[in-house]
Amino acid sequence: RDLINEPLSHLNAEQLSRTLKNLAKEAGFKLEVLNEKKIKELKMGGVLSVNKGSIAKPTFNILTYKSKKTNRKNPVVLVGKGVMYDTGGLSLKPTPNSMDMMKCDMGGAAAVIGAIYALALSKADCYVVGLIPAVENRPGGEAYVPGDVITMMSGKTVEVLNTDAEGRLILADALHYAKRYKPELVIDLATLTGAAARAIGKHGLVAMENHQKEIFTDFSINMKSLLNSGNIVGERVAVQPFWDDYKDELISSVADVKNLGGAEAGHITAGKFLEHFVDYPWIHLDIAGVAFLKKNHLYNKQGGTGFAVRLLTHFLT
């Protein structure tokens, strides 16, 4: 909650990485920070493009916690959207009720940090890796523009139709990076879309998964367990339809995929965009409606809520 509430003037990407070093030392997880040079070497086109308008440098943070007694060889990977501040870029947001709250656009990253911190501090029996791409989305002189085609770390090309659909671009690079771990499961968390907030409001988060359903109402064991954890800890999960029909809205005439679908079901088409970059069991959590509140709601206080930390720690333990 403190991380989410901290303004950009006190917490940009590099400052987040420095804070993580202290948290790693305190809780007992490992941390590797990739600087801009390394990010360029990895050809993370999504991370680099989103940050181009900012004079501040991006970072890519790798958090690892593996308990001494675990026999797991493949980790669960948590990917958190770390947009430290989001102006919308050249697709500029209006300030009232939108940009004025965008210090919270790293709520997904904060949830990943909070969960791994809690797991490490309590010496939980698990193996988890956190991946946090951290950037700023600004309309500076070098900023990427609508109409650009960018090449992602995976090699796929993306037509940018709206620079405010930036979270999915940095997540896509992180999701591709996750493949090197041969993960048992990957869960990404992001304040990704206004559509998610409009779908269920502040009462829970929306979830999607790439599980091949045998029947239309069937969920994976992982999703069933996540739903159960959500009900126990009071951070409820609403599973959304994830039919391939939604992919059609992302077809581009000049690239492999475009970064924006139509006006309807925007949270699902955002999930379908991310699905292009995964080849493992994967769950996508959109926390846009619950990560930051304008006023108290139940036990969640005004401001950053830390939503999904309880959910993830219960699920993983």
Side-chain angles (χ1 to χ4, degrees):
R1 290 175 59 198
D2 287 343
L3 290 171
I4 295 168
N5 289 331
E6 204 73 61
L8 179 67
S9 55
H10 291 65
L11 193 69
N12 63 18
E14 291 182 314
Q15 288 166 322
L16 177 71
S17 297
R18 287 195 289 271
T19 301
L20 274 171
K21 288 179 182 176
N22 294 329
L23 294 175
K25 190 180 298 183
E26 180 186 343
F29 61 86
K30 294 179 181 177
L31 174 69
E32 182 182 3
V33 178
L34 308 183
N35 60 18
E36 186 179 45
K37 182 184 177 192
K38 184 63 177 176
I39 293 169
K40 286 180 177 177
E41 289 173 3
L42 290 169
K43 298 180 179 179
M44 291 186 173
V47 175
L48 293 167
S49 293
V50 173
N51 200 74
K52 276 178 70 177
S54 176
I55 59 172
K57 304 295 185 186
T59 63
F60 190 89
N61 306 274
I62 305 166
L63 296 65
T64 305
Y65 169 67
K66 186 175 185 179
S67 63
K68 292 179 180 178
K69 56 186 176 181
T70 188
N71 55 9
R72 293 184 182 276
K73 296 181 179 178
N74 305 97
V76 172
V77 176
L78 305 177
V79 176
K81 174 185 170 184
V83 177
M84 308 308 295
Y85 192 84
D86 180 22
T87 67
L90 288 175
S91 303
L92 199 66
K93 293 177 182 287
T95 298
N97 302 313
S98 183
M99 200 200 301
D100 54 355
M101 298 183 293
M102 281 300 104
K103 65 182 182 182
C104 79
D105 212 21
M106 38 66 72
V112 170
I113 294 165
I116 293 178
Y117 176 87
L119 291 164
L121 206 60
S122 62
K123 295 181 170 55
D125 183 13
C126 60
Y127 178 20
V128 59
V129 172
L131 302 178
I132 298 171
V135 299
E136 291 173 31
N137 189 24
R138 287 181 179 262
E142 293 290 325
Y144 73 134
V145 305
D148 272 353
V149 174
I150 63 178
T151 302
M152 310 295 286
M153 184 187 179
S154 68
K156 287 184 183 288
T157 54
V158 175
E159 178 186 11
V160 177
L161 294 183
N162 188 317
T163 63
D164 195 24
E166 86 298 333
R168 64 200 69 183
L169 298 177
I170 69 170
L171 287 174
D173 279 343
L175 289 169
H176 179 73
Y177 188 90
K179 293 175 183 177
R180 62 186 58 198
Y181 294 97
K182 296 181 171 55
E184 179 182 337
L185 170 69
V186 174
I187 302 176
D188 78 74
L189 297 95
T191 49
L192 205 62
T193 66
R198 288 189 293 274
I200 63 168
K202 58 182 177 292
H203 303 288
L205 56 80
V206 302
M208 290 147 248
E209 66 173 343
N210 62 346
H211 177 58
Q212 297 299 313
K213 301 176 180 66
E214 293 180 9
I215 55 175
F216 288 119
T217 57
D218 191 28
F219 300 141
S220 70
I221 293 173
N222 287 322
M223 184 65 88
K224 289 175 182 176
S225 179
L226 198 70
L227 285 163
N228 184 55
S229 291
N231 290 335
I232 290 169
V233 304
E235 295 187 335
R236 292 180 296 187
V237 177
V239 185
Q240 305 295 286
F242 208 49
W243 306 312
D244 278 342
D245 308 56
Y246 292 106
K247 269 187 176 178
D248 294 344
E249 295 191 37
L250 299 172
I251 294 171
S252 169
S253 61
V254 296
D256 292 320
V257 63
K258 58 186 182 181
N259 80 326
L260 198 67
E264 298 172 339
H267 57 309
I268 301 175
T269 53
K272 279 295 175 186
F273 175 88
L274 295 175
E275 192 181 28
H276 281 85
F277 301 89
V278 303
D279 64 358
Y280 39 64
W282 164 71
I283 293 175
H284 165 56
L285 303 179
D286 193 331
I287 60 173
V290 289
F292 191 89
L293 299 177
K294 292 183 182 178
K295 59 183 180 181
N296 296 351
H297 175 64
L298 302 177
Y299 57 79
N300 287 311
K301 299 299 182 183
Q302 179 181 351
T305 63
F307 205 98
V309 174
R310 294 179 180 91
L311 175 68
L312 291 173
T313 51
H314 188 277
F315 170 76
L316 287 164
T317 51

